[in-house]
Amino acid sequence: MIPTLEQLHGLILDAIGVLDSMGRDIDGLEEGLASVPPSYDAYLAFAESLKERPFRAGWEFVEPFAWDEVFVEMELDDSVAVQAVDDQEAARRIVAGFHGSVAGCQLGKCLEIHPTLAELRDAMAPLGQWPLDDYVTAEALENLGRRHQTGWTRGQSGPAWVDDDQNYTVLGMLVLEEFGPDFTHAQLRRLWELNLPTCTTWGPERRGLATWSVAAACRPTDEHHPLHDLLVYGDLWCGAQIRADAYGYACPGSPALAAELAYRDATLNHFGTGAYATAWTAAAIALAYVIDDPVELFRQANRYTPQRSRFGKAMAQALGIVERAPDWLTAYEDIHRAFGNFGHCRVLQESATLINTARFAESVGHGVCLQVMQGNDTDSYGATSGAILGVFFGPGHLEPRWLAPFDGRIEIGLAHFYETRIEAIAERLSRLPRLTNKRG
């Protein structure tokens, strides 16, 4: 799969945008690209020239890439004793986490059309369906005026719809089952190539699958190709963050290990903010086993991100907003004012809303409704909030009605994975801590 010259030009233009978001000096780059002769050799030479762009004057953030340097930039508190988690209790909480992620993902699935909270409220309130407390009705979608082409509405039934969020949770499980906690990028990449149909992926994930094939054809070695180095990676996007769940499940009470594993997965195709958000999410799930206050949970999770990074500073700000707010809607409005420029699929506003959801959730079902009502990437963050809340609350806090429409079935869109039973997948996930406990 070789991109056309027009597509390659667009990919390089996007890469310039990534460099800009990461504080690099891009002065003259767009004009320089416009003057490049339209040939593969010329475009690749230009891409190669982007690799060492200096930081802009006044750039205040410190955002390393290598894990050991990232770890140094964290602010870990040795005085906080992380408790050991009983194996059976961990297994029950993992099952609850997976159930929550399925419910949250499916709740948000038909709304995956970049809605705002105001749009959702305007569509649902006239029907008496706001605040949301069940699956979305067909009437609400009609009022909204648009919907995702997949996803169940209230009253329908069938297997839980295939979704990339669930695909990546299963892929995380598979990499740990097959290679253990010392898995490499090469092993992870091979699992992707064997299992992920390209058109079931988006953004940096789709680019990875496409450009890896070009790199292999042009230079079939382990050596990095400029297409991989500059065009695959995402910075602000959530594609890596939605891959964090399995690593959090696998590390009950061990947030540092969860963060390390999730960061390794993330850096297959993300730099900076998106990779830090992935480590943060996995750490939050690992902490949810052992911390019973949601504000404290995220105060500790915030330590597992570089403190001088954009993401670290943004999550400190978000925690302050949520902690001071009298209710979830006030917190959302303040979050939206602070981070509203970072919308659908970009991790800053989305991650801030996860903190908001966790603080005000009364149960798993209530929490996924809060998350989805905050709009943006409704299925992905519905799934992530369900995973965090399922582990945090444990079993018995998701009403059976949330999973009843699926009759125990789920569709997983991986080429070499054939299990379709929710409970069978949940049971496999519940065994993950045994694969990591030697390192934890």
Side-chain angles (χ1 to χ4, degrees), residues 20-346:
D20 185 38
S21 74
M22 298 182 70
R24 302 290 180 166
D25 182 357
I26 64 165
D27 188 43
L29 288 182
E30 291 186 11
E31 296 81 0
L33 177 60
S35 67
V36 173
S39 76
Y40 288 102
D41 286 344
Y43 280 147
L44 289 176
F46 184 85
E48 188 74 34
S49 75
L50 302 179
K51 296 176 77 169
E52 301 300 332
R53 296 296 298 187
F55 284 102
R56 295 192 295 271
W59 182 253
E60 63 179 296
F61 304 104
V62 178
E63 300 182 331
F65 182 74
W67 173 251
D68 57 349
E69 296 174 6
V70 171
F71 196 77
V72 167
E73 285 291 321
M74 294 177 178
E75 190 177 68
L76 306 186
D77 185 353
D78 292 336
S79 69
V80 177
V82 176
Q83 306 167 22
V85 181
D86 174 77
D87 288 347
Q88 292 185 343
E89 177 64 13
R92 287 191 291 267
R93 287 180 180 267
I94 292 168
V95 170
F98 185 63
H99 287 173
S101 73
V102 171
C105 181
Q106 297 302 307
L107 174 65
K109 187 70 180 164
C110 61
L111 295 174
E112 192 189 2
I113 36 79
H114 314 184
T116 64
L117 181 147
E119 288 178 313
L120 295 174
R121 181 171 52 199
D122 289 348
M124 296 176 186
L127 300 170
Q129 296 172 14
W130 186 270
L132 187 65
D133 65 357
D134 202 341
Y135 286 108
V136 180
T137 65
E139 293 81 7
L141 293 176
E142 186 175 347
N143 279 0
L144 187 60
R146 64 194 195 278
R147 63 158 295 167
H148 195 268
Q149 67 268 28
T150 64
W152 297 119
T153 55
R154 193 181 307 179
Q156 293 183 309
S157 61
W161 276 95
V162 64
D163 188 84
D164 57 341
D165 306 279
Q166 307 300 335
N167 290 348
Y168 289 126
T169 295
V170 171
L171 273 175
M173 176 185 76
L174 293 177
V175 75
L176 290 173
E177 286 180 342
E178 187 165 348
F179 303 110
D182 295 317
F183 69 89
T184 66
H185 276 176
Q187 292 164 337
L188 181 61
R189 171 178 156 178
R190 184 59 175 161
L191 277 180
W192 280 34
E193 291 170 331
L194 288 172
N195 284 283
L196 281 173
T198 304
C199 288
T200 64
T201 62
W202 287 267
E205 286 67 43
R206 184 176 294 187
R207 291 179 184 181
L209 290 167
T211 56
W212 291 332
S213 64
V214 177
C218 295
R219 190 184 301 170
T221 71
D222 290 334
E223 190 177 349
H224 274 183
H225 190 280
L227 275 171
H228 180 276
D229 293 341
L230 292 162
L231 308 183
V232 170
Y233 286 104
D235 174 36
L236 291 167
W237 298 107
C238 74
Q241 190 176 21
I242 66 176
R243 309 200 303 259
D245 293 11
Y247 305 109
Y249 295 152
C251 301
S254 299
L257 179 57
E260 178 187 352
L261 299 179
Y263 187 80
R264 193 183 316 146
D265 183 306
T267 51
L268 183 67
N269 68 331
H270 281 70
F271 283 124
T273 303
Y276 302 154
T278 310
W280 174 85
T281 303
I285 295 173
L287 288 162
Y289 290 92
V290 295
I291 295 178
D292 60 7
D293 175 78
V295 171
E296 183 61 22
L297 167 62
F298 278 100
R299 183 175 289 112
Q300 293 303 322
N302 282 357
R303 297 181 183 277
Y304 290 88
T305 191
Q307 299 299 291
R308 295 186 289 173
S309 68
R310 287 165 291 156
F311 186 76
K313 291 180 180 294
M315 289 308 99
Q317 181 182 354
L319 184 65
I321 289 171
V322 172
E323 193 170 10
R324 292 188 299 269
D327 55 67
W328 76 272
L329 186 55
T330 301
Y332 165 79
E333 290 168 349
D334 290 344
I335 287 168
H336 191 62
R337 276 191 289 270
F339 304 111
N341 290 335
F342 303 97
H344 178 82
C345 282
R346 288 180 289 175

